[in-house]
Amino acid sequence: MYVLVRQAGGGDLVVEPRDEAGASLQPPRRLSLDEFRTFVAARESWALEGRPRWVWDDTGHTYPLLLSAGIRVERCHDLRLCHVILKNSALTQLSELALAAPDRWDAASAVTADQIELRATLFEFDVDDDHGGDDLADHAADGTGDSGATEPGPDSRAPESTSGREFRRQLDAVASAAEPGRLRLLLAAESAGALVAAEMRFAGLPWRTDVHNHLLTRELGPRALPGVRPDRLELLAQRIRLELDDDALNPDSPQELFKALQRAGLAVTSTRGWELKKLEHPVIEPLLQYKKLSRLLSANGWTWMESWVVNGRFHPDYVPGGVVTGRWATRGGGALQLPRQIRGAVVADDGWKLVVADAAQLEPRILAALAQDERMATAGRGTDLYAGIVASGVVETRDHAKVAMLGAMYGATTGESGRLLPRLARAYPRAIALTELAARAGERGEVVTTRLGRSSPVPGQGWHEVQAQAYDLAATATDERRARSQARDWGRFTRNFIVQGSAAEWALCWMAEIRRELAALPASGAGATSALRRADAGPGLAASAARPAAPGRARAPFDYAPHLVFFLHDEVIVHTLAAQAEVVAKIIVTAAETAGRLLFGDFPVDFMLTVATVDNYAQAK
């Protein structure tokens, strides 16, 4: 059974039980915040009868109201995230939802194809504060016993809410799809990810500011006054000025630096690090060091630490589905780009451990499974996939295997990658053919779809205009070259979309399984940390994270149970009591196997993990 939840005036919430078809089972009930918390806590305790799936507009807005009272939910359905998937999926294009005129559900995440920047890291963009969450298990509840609910108010006599109509449209879209099972799993996984994101933000990543300060001082020198460079940066700046014979140069100014490099006779087109590495000049070594340390200071320096680390916890704002392929983004804090220099500041609490796991060669393994290429899957069975490719005699070195595989997935056709790709195509024709077909589809302006049903956006109007111009009778050679270049760019996008998007789906299923299994572990009070440490849970969160909301809830759930605290595309960290670290590691490994079966059935592909139980994050790398 579902329970639809929507916001009402004055901080109240309206709840309405609904059946599997989305039809109302009982009149809506308007609850105060405290009544809502009691209502949810009671139903989440119904282990025998089955817990409901909570349906709400935005997990990121609603779920923290429960977490701040020590209440976790097993599963939910996020209307906004699911709307984006169903609106754009090729599997639902004939549904009422897909054919409807744009409405408020589209406005929050409207991003045109012309706004997507084509680059190797693939299309990251910010969205509104709308997340989603839903566990993969399928449970039901009978909806009786509305303890704490007020009598039906005016809401129960009003026309159906926009949330209710949207929910029914989504259920209808899935039911009418050619392969509804794929979409059901995708919506569940996407929503489960949003629950994880909200919980990780609330619980926070354990962080030692004293260690962070020590690491910054070691890398940069003592903290300087505002507007003054730390010692090591200033020394590097002086070396750069000396080598470029420019006493007034500000190396933080790209414009000044660009002109100074050209005056020194260096043929540069930008000041990006990857271009500078190609040059030979005495200034290059100190300049690259300066750029690296300057980035550390600006992105994760003392100001960042004071802004984002609260009471020993880093509370990043994850954005599930924030990338068009389904990958996550962050709205603040840069959790997806924590540099190695400061990972030692991520330290487990006393009596606790960090279990760090990352999936080895995830995207190539996903490609093998998508293409059902058994030879490629065999190369990675029980071993490093790139080493397996070398052992199969396809290329000479592991670096060659990696370069060739990245070229296949990202469309690199020149240099070393272009030279090696034909060997890869001969050895693994099904896998390489899949990427080539996706690329050709993109070049024609068509969409491609991931394993579970997320489809790529169509090119924008500007792209189509350029293509049309190339076929005009008056088209010039320049018009034709421009059209071919843009078509190839979009082909590179669709080539990788199916791989990166399917890998994101695997990662969501992996996290959902980890979360479910961790929640099933028996609670332990041994070594539990003080709930007062979460008294201020960080920017935008409730101030009393450990305040009990229901009988028996003495402290915030993350103070005494293992829980996910970090996620980076193919890597997770679980913070756990030391006594449970071994079982947590097994849960993570088993969850990876389960995620593989959910997406690819019995196809024999290994999703290998590197798992380390450590006291601080730096020890895992």
Side-chain angles (χ1 to χ4, degrees), residues 54-356:
W54 305 97
V55 181
W56 43 49
D57 292 3
D58 171 15
T59 303
H61 287 161
T62 304
Y63 194 28
L65 299 176
L66 299 171
L67 290 173
S68 64
I71 302 169
R72 298 177 71 188
V73 302
E74 183 180 51
R75 58 191 186 151
C76 77
H77 178 102
D78 185 285
L79 292 170
R80 180 226 169 261
L81 273 182
C82 294
H83 176 93
V84 173
I85 292 171
L86 296 173
K87 183 76 172 182
N88 299 315
S89 176
L91 304 181
T92 57
Q93 284 308 289
L94 298 180
S95 67
E96 177 190 347
L97 185 151
L99 297 173
D103 55 21
R104 77 175 184 89
W105 298 99
D106 299 287
S109 58
V111 176
T112 66
D114 286 337
Q115 292 173 304
I116 298 174
E117 179 186 358
L118 299 175
R119 61 182 186 271
T121 53
L122 280 185
F123 323 118
E124 298 191 13
F125 56 87
D126 289 335
V127 298
D128 257 11
D129 290 344
D130 292 320
H131 309 167
D134 184 297
D135 270 350
L136 302 181
D138 186 19
H139 299 291
D142 63 14
T144 60
D146 291 317
S147 174
T150 63
E151 291 301 310
D155 300 276
S156 64
R157 298 186 295 274
E160 185 176 28
S161 66
T162 57
S163 298
R165 289 194 299 274
E166 172 64 19
F167 181 46
R168 287 193 294 103
R169 284 200 309 176
Q170 291 188 13
L171 292 179
D172 290 344
V174 173
S176 63
E179 298 180 73
R182 292 168 61 186
L183 283 171
R184 289 192 182 101
L185 180 57
L186 176 56
L187 300 185
E190 184 86 341
S191 297
L195 285 176
V196 171
E199 290 174 356
M200 288 197 299
R201 183 187 181 211
F202 182 84
L205 181 65
W207 201 281
R208 287 274 300 275
T209 55
D210 58 331
V211 175
H212 190 168
N213 179 69
H214 170 75
L215 295 172
L216 290 176
T217 302
R218 185 184 68 185
E219 294 287 333
L220 302 169
R223 185 176 188 178
L225 295 172
V228 179
R229 294 185 182 92
D231 290 348
R232 191 173 179 199
L233 272 179
E234 183 56 37
L235 288 173
L236 288 169
Q238 292 174 12
R239 284 186 59 191
I240 292 167
R241 295 188 190 107
L242 179 64
E243 298 293 351
L244 294 177
D245 193 23
D246 187 342
D247 292 340
L249 173 65
N250 175 13
D252 294 316
S253 169
Q255 294 81 9
E256 290 186 33
L257 182 59
F258 181 77
K259 292 176 181 178
L261 290 169
Q262 287 194 322
R263 285 196 299 269
L266 295 173
V268 294
T269 58
S270 76
T271 60
R272 295 179 180 273
W274 63 268
E275 182 172 349
L276 295 175
K277 289 178 181 179
K278 301 176 183 177
L279 305 176
E280 292 188 10
H281 189 279
V283 77
I284 299 303
E285 185 267 334
L287 181 53
L288 290 175
Q289 285 190 49
Y290 183 91
K291 291 174 73 70
K292 180 180 179 180
L293 294 180
S294 180
R295 169 66 180 170
L296 173 64
L297 177 63
S298 62
N300 299 100
W302 289 278
T303 300
W304 177 91
M305 181 173 64
E306 292 169 352
S307 300
W308 287 98
V309 180
V310 180
N311 290 340
R313 290 293 186 269
F314 167 40
H315 298 276
D317 195 359
Y318 290 102
V319 183
V323 181
V324 71
T325 59
R327 272 191 170 190
W328 286 17
T330 56
R331 191 175 290 102
L336 302 181
Q337 297 178 345
L338 293 181
R340 294 184 183 275
Q341 300 106 305
I342 63 165
R343 290 181 180 178
V346 181
V347 181
D349 293 337
D350 292 341
W352 291 61
K353 294 287 185 179
L354 301 175
V355 181
V356 183

Side-chain angles (χ1 to χ4, degrees), residues 567-611:
F567 169 60
L568 176 61
H569 304 320
D570 57 4
E571 180 177 351
V572 297
I573 300 178
V574 173
H575 193 215
T576 178
L577 290 164
Q580 293 178 299
E582 184 175 353
V583 68
V584 166
K586 291 179 180 178
I587 284 173
I588 292 172
V589 172
T590 301
E593 298 169 354
T594 301
R597 288 194 299 272
L598 284 171
L599 265 70
F600 303 111
D602 294 330
F603 183 75
V605 60
D606 286 351
F607 290 100
M608 292 189 61
L609 301 181
T610 300
V611 183

